[in-house]
Amino acid sequence: MRGDAETGHRRRNRREAVARRRQLPLPRHRVHGGTRPLRVWRDDVESQRTVLLVDTVDGEERVLAQFALCPGVDPTYVNIDGAWLDDDPYVTIHRIASSGLARGAAKDCINWCIEHYGNVRADTHPNNKAMQHVLESNGFARCGLIQLLDRPSDTTRIAYQRHEW
């Protein structure tokens, strides 16, 4: 907590991931940029896969990021050009999107998943150097390449895994 020297009020600025079952604002910079159809985010919300990273500042809750947390076998991950660390049960992180209100939101989302699930997989586009850096700097191993099943082109993704417990 940080104190305000002039007013004596205390501000709370703590981040936490919170599962929500309500309508969520869709991240405009990605949706309107054409990289993700609205139906994908709506399906995540309706399927209760959406997780929010929130903080509270001056008593107001802010959404810092959202992502899809998918338990169970991901069909896209069945075939890999490479090898997973293991075949233990895992969760998959998909579609991390930041609101742009705070730095480090993707890292906080990933760390929350590791803390709560222990065995986490993710993938990213070969051109997404920022996400590759976030995953690798947070202890994920590059396991190989996968091919997305839901599109006809630009299907190659770099696959990552981190298994803590």
Side-chain angles (χ1 to χ4, degrees), residues 52-71:
L52 299 179
L53 177 72
V54 300
D55 73 355
T56 304
V57 175
D58 294 329
E60 296 293 321
E61 185 176 87
R62 305 183 308 166
V63 175
L64 303 179
Q66 72 179 48
F67 61 96
L69 183 67
C70 305

Side-chain angles (χ1 to χ4, degrees), residues 84-85 91-93 96 106-107 109-111 113-114 118-123 131-143 159-164:
W84 294 109
L85 299 179
V91 296
T92 305
I93 303 171
I96 295 177
K107 176 182 177 178
C109 292
I110 290 167
N111 287 336
C113 291
I114 292 295
N119 193 7
V120 179
R121 293 181 182 181
D123 64 83
M131 184 53 72
Q132 290 173 45
H133 173 75
V134 168
L135 290 167
E136 291 171 10
S137 66
N138 283 282
F140 279 74
R142 188 181 288 223
C143 295
Y160 290 89
Q161 183 177 4
R162 180 172 165 188
H163 193 169
E164 287 297 303

Side-chain angles (χ1 to χ4, degrees), residues 11-68:
R11 287 191 336 174
R12 184 171 172 223
N13 189 3
R14 186 176 139 240
R15 295 182 188 189
E16 59 185 62
V18 181
R20 297 294 165 114
R21 293 180 186 168
R22 62 177 169 89
Q23 279 302 111
L24 304 174
L26 298 172
R28 294 176 188 223
H29 66 283
R30 294 192 65 189
V31 171
H32 297 297
T35 62
R36 186 79 57 214
L38 283 171
R39 67 176 165 69
V40 174
W41 269 293
R42 284 191 182 122
D43 185 51
D44 285 344
V45 171
E46 291 167 3
S47 301
Q48 299 181 4
R49 292 186 298 253
T50 300
V51 180
L52 299 179
L53 177 72
V54 300
D55 73 355
T56 304
V57 175
D58 294 329
E60 296 293 321
E61 185 176 87
R62 305 183 308 166
V63 175
L64 303 179
Q66 72 179 48
F67 61 96

Side-chain angles (χ1 to χ4, degrees), residues 1-13 58:
M1 297 226 272
R2 283 175 30 181
D4 184 335
E6 292 182 20
T7 64
H9 292 106
R10 297 177 67 87
R11 287 191 336 174
R12 184 171 172 223
N13 189 3
D58 294 329

